[in-house]
């Protein structure tokens, strides 16, 4: 199975900061990667699919990049509503694996 | 409004059974493959099971094979997960999720999620 490793596991940042989260795959997954945001007590919300495509309705301050084994999620200017946990996910195979998550906390 | 609502929350003893349901609304349910994803308390997300849009294909993660059964009723817009021989490690919030793209099966991300339903396994 393909393993997905996210870093960091926790990130402390301030409103207005540029934030970058990394996700690494144990083998090449082309661009079959999604990013989700999850807030406490809620189901995840799709932000990015196919590594860099922004889901409809998601603010443009979110962007994704990468291919192969290394991917990044960037928030260009962190807003109060963005403090949450973020997960990457490999799809397009029968091994639909998630990264361990990155919690973005208020500094 | 496109929506998924899970139900079936419960406390069961190890070895017991529980049935979860997910009611879909606001979209053509029969055109979309559906998935169950779980999250143990304080932990990350784990993909558990999937069923194709027409019910013809199913998938289970190794840890639940032979114990869980996924099914769907496209006439009632309902997804189900029958869970048996429950173990303490099955304790989690269970989410149903829609796979994006009509007719896709394991080819897309999950664009709609429910709010989750809690399964507690304890004696």
């Amino acid at each position: 199975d393909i393993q997905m490793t996210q870093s960091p596991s926790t990130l402390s940042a301030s409103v207005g900061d540029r934030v970058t989260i990394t996700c690494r795959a144990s083998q090449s997954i082309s661009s079959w990667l999604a990013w989700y945001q999850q807030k406490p007590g809620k189901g995840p919300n799709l932000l990015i699919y196919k590594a860099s495509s922004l889901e409809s309705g998601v603010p443009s301050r979110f962007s994704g990049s990468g291919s192969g084994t290394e991917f990044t999620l960037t928030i260009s200017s962190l807003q109060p509503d963005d403090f949450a946990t973020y997960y990457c996910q490999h799809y397009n195979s029968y091994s639909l694996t998630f990264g361990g998550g990155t919690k973005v906390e208020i500094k | 409004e496109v929506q998924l609502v899970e139900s079936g929350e419960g406390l069961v003893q190890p070895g017991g059974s529980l049935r979860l349901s997910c009611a879909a609304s606001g979209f053509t349910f029969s055109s979309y493959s559906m998935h169950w994803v779980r999250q143990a308390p304080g932990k990350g997300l784990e993909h558990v099971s999937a069923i194709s849009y027409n019910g013809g294909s199913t998938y289970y993660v190794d840890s639940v094979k032979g114990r869980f059964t996924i099914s769907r009723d496209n006439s009632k817009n309902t997804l189900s997960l029958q869970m048996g021989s429950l173990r303490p490690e099955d304790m989690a919030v269970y989410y149903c999720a829609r796979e994006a793209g009509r007719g896709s099966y394991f080819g897309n991300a999950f664009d709609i999620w429910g709010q989750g339903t809690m399964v507690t396994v304890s004696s």
Side-chain angles (χ1 to χ4, degrees):
Chain A
D1 286 1
I2 297 173
Q3 307 303 316
M4 307 301 294
T5 303
Q6 277 183 245
S7 60
S9 56
T10 306
L11 187 160
S12 296
S14 302
V15 172
D17 284 354
R18 181 181 181 88
V19 166
T20 299
I21 298 169
T22 297
C23 179
R24 289 187 173 87
S26 60
Q27 64 189 72
S28 177
I29 59 170
S30 184
S31 295
W32 301 116
L33 187 98
W35 289 97
Y36 300 88
Q37 177 194 67
Q38 186 180 33
K39 295 182 179 179
K42 303 286 189 180
N45 181 47
L46 178 64
L47 301 174
I48 301 285
Y49 62 95
K50 219 167 181 184
S52 59
S53 296
L54 191 68
E55 174 70 354
S56 176
V58 174
S60 59
R61 61 181 179 272
F62 291 94
S63 65
S65 64
S67 66
T69 61
E70 187 152 339
F71 303 85
T72 58
L73 173 70
T74 299
I75 309 172
S76 61
S77 177
L78 198 66
Q79 299 302 300
D81 191 48
D82 301 338
F83 291 97
T85 301
Y86 295 83
Y87 293 93
C88 63
Q89 179 208 28
H90 161 55
Y91 59 96
N92 196 243
S93 83
Y94 286 107
S95 171
L96 276 172
T97 45
F98 292 88
T102 295
K103 185 175 183 179
V104 177
E105 299 180 327
I106 301 172
K107 192 172 185 178
Chain B
E1 180 190 4
V2 175
Q3 191 170 269
L4 297 172
V5 179
E6 301 95 337
S7 60
E9 176 172 312
L11 166 64
V12 296
Q13 293 185 340
S17 299
L18 196 65
R19 186 177 183 89
L20 305 183
S21 294
C22 172
S25 60
F27 64 98
T28 305
F29 181 68
S30 60
S31 294
Y32 293 87
S33 295
M34 298 296 295
H35 300 256
W36 287 99
V37 176
R38 67 185 177 185
Q39 187 169 36
K43 301 297 185 182
L45 301 166
E46 179 185 28
H47 183 243
V48 174
S49 184
I51 188 165
S52 60
Y53 59 96
N54 60 2
S57 297
T58 58
Y59 165 87
Y60 303 93
V61 70
D62 284 348
S63 60
V64 309
K65 277 181 186 173
R67 301 189 298 121
F68 290 11
T69 301
I70 191 172
S71 61
R72 65 189 298 159
D73 185 337
N74 285 344
S75 67
K76 296 182 179 178
N77 295 341
T78 301
L79 173 72
S80 297
L81 185 68
Q82 179 67 47
M83 303 186 295
S85 301
L86 282 162
R87 304 167 179 169
E89 57 263 36
D90 296 318
M91 186 165 72
V93 174
Y94 284 73
Y95 297 98
C96 63
R98 187 183 84 168
E99 181 176 330
R102 291 173 181 262
S104 174
Y105 183 55
F106 277 93
N108 280 312
F110 302 163
D111 62 345
I112 305 295
W113 295 67
Q115 84 289 349
T117 191
M118 182 70 203
V119 174
T120 303
V121 183
S122 175
S123 54

